[in-house]
Amino acid sequence: MTTTAAEKIEIDNPNIFFDRELSWIDFNHRVLEEALDPKNPVLERLKFLCITESNLDEFFMVRVAGLINLKKAGIEERSLDGRRTSETISELYKKVKSLVDGQYFCLNDLLSELQKEQISVILDPAELSGKEIQFVKDYYKREVSSILTPLAIDPSHPFPHILNRTLNLAITLFSDEDKNKTRELFAIVQVPGVLPRFLQLPKVEGSEARRYFPLEEIIKLHLADLFFGMNVKSIHTFKIVRDADISINEEQNIGDLLTMMKNELKNRMWGDAIRLDIQAGAGHVKGMLKDLLELEEYQVMEIPRMLGLFDLMFFQSLDKTSHLKFSYPTPKPGFASKKTGSVFQEIRKSDQLLHHPYESFRSIEDILKIASSDPKVLGIKMTLYRTSGDSPIIQYLGEAAENGKQVTVLVELKARFDEERNIRWAKKLEDSGVHVVYGVVGLKIHCKMLLIVRREEDKLNRYVHLGTGNYNSTTARFYTDLSLFTADPQITEDVAVLFNTITSSGKMPRLTRIHAAPTFLKDEFLELIEKETKNAKSKKEARVIFKMNSLVDPDVIIKLYEASQAGVTVDLIIRGICCLKPGIPGVSENIHVRSIIGRYLEHSRIYYFHNDGKPDVYLASADCMPRNFQRRIEVMFPVLLDKNKKRIVRILEMLLRDNTQARVLQQNGSYERLTPGEDDPALNSQVDLVEL
């Protein structure tokens, strides 16, 4: 859609917005660009390729499933850019087809590059030697054959309910007695997920080459063993992606939330099929599966080579491959590495700001470890949205409770695709004596807060950690996030009030320093933008710099358009979805949008307001999306010390100078990758921030 200088800044004007779903596909294309980039080490490229498939499956299981359900119900909602639901779906599948084509172009290139490094993935059995064929046969008989279950499909054997995202073989056969091959039979064999996807073949003496053969190809070689008296006519690998969004009736008693979540998780693997990936050339078998799954033609993706690309992450764990990966520097140790209560004195003395992964996430774990055994610590409160499976945080919270401290943990059971893990470690915390609160009716607890209460000199002092990212030590090695430790009386009071409001299901009050969703955050955020707009109209210097994962909320976008019209300089660093359209004459000429995709996932949310030379800098758990403002408990908190503000501004300035990993959003929706020039030396912000 074209734009003109006369565009009205109104929510119902489709010419001033990009579509959310199509913008997401563009983001995944940018991730694929990293997989295609020969400047990246080959195993890092492979990892980016795997991420594109994982991203795409989750996108279909939630967002696309929702659109298809609307279409089936005959509901034609309009997106921000004016498209009806059916139009969005049509355009989306075109973009996905292009993405899939790019994935398999990339796969072919990467398999060739890996082979140069003496790592081979053998997809054609003809490439196996006689000794290798015997080795595969022995492995099949010893490890595979007993697990397989061939399932015939005929009037007496209905189509089985195939699990979400599993690999399967669609097989056509005819019997030995059918000399004319007139009666074709159909069967399915699931490729067992309990076995490794890739079998390493024996090394050839004197060679360091490593060769791997996929499990589905092993099964294909031995299908005659499963169908006695039958002849295999064709074999085609396929995968079904199902609707996996969880919807629960939270108006029921909150005490039943845990039970409801457990029941819904059982249903996730059995949702309606929304996409069929099938090996190219399947002919009428493709049509048969399409009909059995009740899919439309556009919901079928023909795949040229190996399905299930995410399983290639297996090769990340190979030994002696460090030269094929990025060199990740060791994070600087945090201030909390001390073993005594002096860590609390440091926080009282000065707010502590940490930038992960450049600085170690262990400071958060260390302060919990110290607090768990410190006799002066009386209570700990914490929110947990996602955490790693073997997290020391769970251990230290349990130890704190066992040591007699009052420990309360707010666990979000509805953290998508982490629900089962959260249920497991919530139960573990309860067994240790921790008071676990299972979410809030109608909302997700997405804020990242830790409150420690300590008795010092006959009075109680409070210490707080607030962050932009999850309490997850695994992702903290690869996600950029910011952490703030503070003993500021107003912030710690705000956090204490927030915890009590959440656990009591009370009405959220207006806080002193912290802005919280779903009650006040959006309005206060819009007021901060409006303040910059007024400064610009008064001929004062005005600027905002926002860094976030996604920008979708139309009210925020409109406020930014109005700020741009008033002369505010608007710099947006948005990794993923962006529905704002920059460069519209008379509307968004002062708005610049860039996305940075690199070795780290840019996850921190930073909101900078120039404020007539007295900058306000906020960090937040929230992106600018309706769900964050309306359906989640979020916090945006101020950075108070000038030294910390200046440090964050330096980080933002470096991100805005990046000319190797940054792509700039154009008015037509495309992203243009920046490249260094003769007078513009190369700057990779994620590398150079190590030095900063």
Side-chain angles (χ1 to χ4, degrees), residues 583-636:
I584 303 174
V587 176
S588 55
E589 292 167 307
N590 292 319
I591 302 178
H592 312 280
V593 182
R594 61 173 45 206
S595 171
I596 294 177
I597 308 290
R599 67 185 64 194
Y600 299 124
L601 184 140
E602 291 291 342
H603 191 255
S604 54
R605 291 92 166 188
I606 306 171
Y607 301 107
Y608 167 91
F609 303 87
H610 184 68
N611 192 31
D612 194 23
K614 302 171 186 175
D616 289 325
V617 178
Y618 293 89
L619 306 178
S621 60
D623 294 308
C624 291
M625 304 178 74
R627 71 182 188 190
N628 296 92
F629 290 138
Q630 299 164 13
R631 301 190 298 277
R632 294 187 174 190
I633 297 175
E634 305 271 17
V635 295
M636 185 172 79

Side-chain angles (χ1 to χ4, degrees), residues 507-546:
K507 184 178 179 181
M508 189 176 293
R510 188 177 292 273
L511 303 171
T512 305
R513 287 199 183 274
I514 289 178
H515 305 309
T519 310
F520 298 109
L521 175 55
K522 182 175 178 177
D523 288 343
E524 290 164 339
F525 190 80
L526 294 175
E527 287 175 11
L528 287 165
I529 300 174
E530 178 65 26
K531 187 176 180 182
E532 289 299 311
T533 303
K534 290 178 179 177
N535 284 341
K537 289 178 178 178
S538 300
K539 307 303 180 184
K540 298 176 182 177
E541 183 180 353
R543 187 185 189 191
V544 297
I545 309 173
F546 295 165

